[in-house]
Amino acid sequence: MKIIVAENYKELSQKAANLISAQVILKSDSVLGLATGSTPIGIYDQLVDRYQKGDLDFSQVSTVNLDEYYGLCSTDEQSYRYYMEKYLFSKVNLSKERCFLPDGTNLDGKIECKRYQDLIDALGGIDLQLLGLGHNGHIGFNEPADFFEKEVHLVNLTEQTIQANQRFFASIEEVPKQAYTMGIGTIFQAKKILLVVNGKEKAEALKKVVQGAICSQVPGSILQLHADVTVVADKEAASLL
Ligand code: F6R
């Protein structure tokens, strides 16, 4: 694992955006694996800025998001499709036909998981996967569990994740209790992985991911075994390393 420590959130966003930009410049038809949540917002702002300056071209890029809430449709402001449209898709020249997320409105979990896994496989896998980190060490919505789920699956979110995500909703009752997520195997097949971690409250989780035992109770710890992982963390998140 390569670890880059940034002075603050702005620098973290710039450094992570540099790595994504390099990927797109070197391979114009890259398949980018994308994440939502608060951490990547600054990165997407940077990418939009670079696109507007004429430094980046997304016209041949495909994107696959890690996850989507079960039951939410794309017009729901809390859906991850809505988030991606807001922060990235509507602001750069990505082709709408090449921006993929799990379909939260497909309530048949078995069919939707297979559809999304097959879609990623058909794209030839992911060139660069962007990941955030949950307080409990989750990546995507692979929650602490007794084993690693390999493929795209429907997951029951933990109480800790539901509480952490409450900040985006009017009340805790509105937070969906399930989500579709890429599995650990899906993520692991990405050629490169970029993990971004911000803030003191993630320091413990990042320490476990980078230096702890590899175990399914800390899903991100599996990244220690991947051949090409870069972690970009701000000083506070990296403070226990
Ligand atoms: C989001 C995702 C999650 C988040 C993680 C951190 O698509 O898959 O794993 O990356 O929960 O979220 P933030 O950045 O909001 O702290």
Side-chain angles (χ1 to χ4, degrees), residues 135-155:
H135 297 89
N136 58 7
H138 75 211
I139 50 173
F141 274 137
N142 292 276
E143 299 281 39
D146 293 337
F147 58 95
F148 292 110
E149 285 266 11
K150 285 210 282 276
E151 300 207 310
V152 175
H153 58 286
L154 182 61
V155 69

Side-chain angles (χ1 to χ4, degrees), residues 71-83 169:
L72 296 196
C73 63
S74 57
T75 51
D76 190 313
E77 291 187 19
Q78 308 301 344
S79 75
Y80 286 171
R81 166 69 74 172
Y82 189 94
Y83 167 111
F169 292 82

